[in-house]
Structure formats: structure tokens, C-alpha cells
Amino acid sequence: MHKLQFMFSILLPLLSACSSSITQPISSDIESIAPRSSIDPLVQKELLDTFGLSKLKMGKSLQLVRIMEGGACKNTQQGAFGLFKLYANLDDIKRIKQTQGSEVFADFALSIQNFSMHALQQAVNHFDFKIATNSSNTNHKQEQQAKSFAVLFSDLIANDIQVFEAKSSLVIDVTPDTDALLIYTDSCEIPHVH
């Protein structure tokens, strides 16, 4: 956490600030980044869960397929910026590629990006930035705010995910990485996409 905050403290001032929503996908294709190995399946599941590379949803195993970057400002002082993990079921991806072709995933990616950024802006607009303001420990304050923000984001994006899953037949989840989530309370700085 400290290393990540240090990195952000160096990089963010170097980047220009704005007050609009942005996303920047790190990868362009939906593919699993989970390691393929001959580890015992139970041990492999524990390892993947530990590193956030997989999760269970509705009895299906989802793998981390993309990391999105995004941020939004409520005003010139308050906002959030961070990384958001996109998980998807690999069996669904394989089935959809076979039946609809891989081109459909470009539309899926755009749709996911759009509703994720909408949920992010809504979360910023509704978030109580006073959470943990009494804490004298800055790291503890950031952690508390990041956890609360992640819960609010997850609540706000849930309906969009359900609608997307019904249309696409692809089971997904989008979650903020709380360790890489910065909550701004005294100057909202969202870097431009380069």
C-alpha cells in the first residue's frame, strides 16, 4: 500500500488535472491473466483468490480479464481515482467466441467501460467524503474511505451488471481495487488519458 501511494504521489502531480471521467483499459482483448499450471486445483484456487485473480459468482468461477483505470471528481476538492478489476467467466467467453465471434467483445468492452464509469461518477456524487476524517492516521483514513467507496460502487453498478449479463450471456463482475484507490478530499486530480 505504501509503495503504491508513493508511486501515485510522484506520478499524479506530473499529470495534468481535469474534472471529467476517464478510463484507460490496460489490455484490448478479454483474456485470462490467471496462470495455467499443474498445481492441485484446491491449492490453485486458494492462490488465485489470494492474489485477486479469480472469484466466485453465482456458482461460476470468474477470472481477472482486464484492469481499467478511471477517476471522477465531485467538485474541485473531492473525487476518486483508481484501478477497477473486470472479472469474467472463461467458459462463457469461449462459448460466445464460438457462437458470435470474437469481434463482439469490442462492443462488450465499450459497454462495460461506459457503465463502469457511470457507476464511478455516481459513487463519487453520493459518497460521504467525511468518512474517517477524524482519524489522524492518513493511511487508515484512506483505507476506510476506499473500503466504503468500494461498497458504494459495487451497489451502484450491480443493476448495470445484471442488465449486461442478461443481454450478453457473459457473467462478469467489476470491482475497485481498494489498494489502488485514491480518495481525494482536498484537491481532485484526475490525470488525462495519454
Side-chain angles (χ1 to χ4, degrees):
M1 178 82 176
H2 296 292
K3 194 184 293 184
L4 187 59
Q5 285 179 330
F6 176 73
M7 185 175 67
F8 274 127
S9 70
I10 292 173
L11 291 177
L12 288 178
L14 297 175
L15 300 171
S16 302
C18 70
S19 61
S20 62
S21 300
I22 60 147
T23 62
Q24 184 177 22
I26 291 177
S27 64
S28 59
D29 293 326
I30 295 181
E31 293 180 17
S32 171
I33 63 169
R36 303 273 185 222
S37 64
S38 60
I39 299 175
D40 175 56
L42 291 176
V43 173
Q44 185 177 21
K45 181 188 178 319
E46 287 176 17
L47 286 173
L48 291 175
D49 288 345
T50 301
F51 296 112
L53 298 177
S54 72
K55 64 186 307 185
L56 284 174
K57 180 179 177 183
M58 301 184 314
K60 288 191 171 191
S61 175
L62 305 182
Q63 303 296 314
L64 179 64
V65 294
R66 177 177 284 182
I67 295 176
M68 299 181 290
E69 178 183 68
C73 291
K74 181 176 188 175
N75 51 45
T76 58
Q77 299 297 308
Q78 300 169 327
F81 176 80
L83 300 178
F84 298 81
K85 297 177 180 180
L86 169 60
Y87 295 88
N89 179 268
L90 299 183
D91 292 333
D92 290 345
I93 291 173
K94 187 176 181 179
R95 175 184 45 78
I96 291 167
K97 278 185 179 179
Q98 289 174 346
T99 59
Q100 300 179 40
S102 59
E103 301 79 26
V104 72
F105 289 104
D107 293 336
F108 287 176
L110 184 60
S111 177
I112 293 167
Q113 247 178 247
N114 288 340
F115 69 71
S116 296
M117 290 318 306
H118 181 262
L120 174 60
Q121 185 65 59
Q122 293 300 310
V124 165
N125 291 346
H126 293 97
F127 187 65
D128 179 7
F129 286 90
K130 294 176 184 167
I131 293 173
T133 53
N134 295 334
S135 176
S136 59
N137 182 329
T138 306
N139 290 337
H140 177 70
K141 178 180 166 181
Q142 259 305 315
E143 287 174 21
Q144 293 296 91
Q145 289 177 325
K147 287 178 184 175
S148 296
F149 188 87
V151 169
L152 178 60
F153 175 86
S154 295
D155 289 346
L156 292 170
I157 201 170
N159 189 55
D160 289 324
I161 289 175
Q162 278 185 324
V163 169
F164 174 82
E165 289 174 338
K167 285 183 181 178
S168 68
S169 75
L170 174 63
V171 177
I172 65 163
D173 201 8
V174 179
T175 60
D177 182 342
T178 55
D179 290 335
L181 188 60
L182 294 175
I183 305 297
Y184 298 111
T185 57
D186 57 4
S187 179
C188 186
E189 298 176 17
I190 306 300
H192 288 280
V193 177
H194 295 284

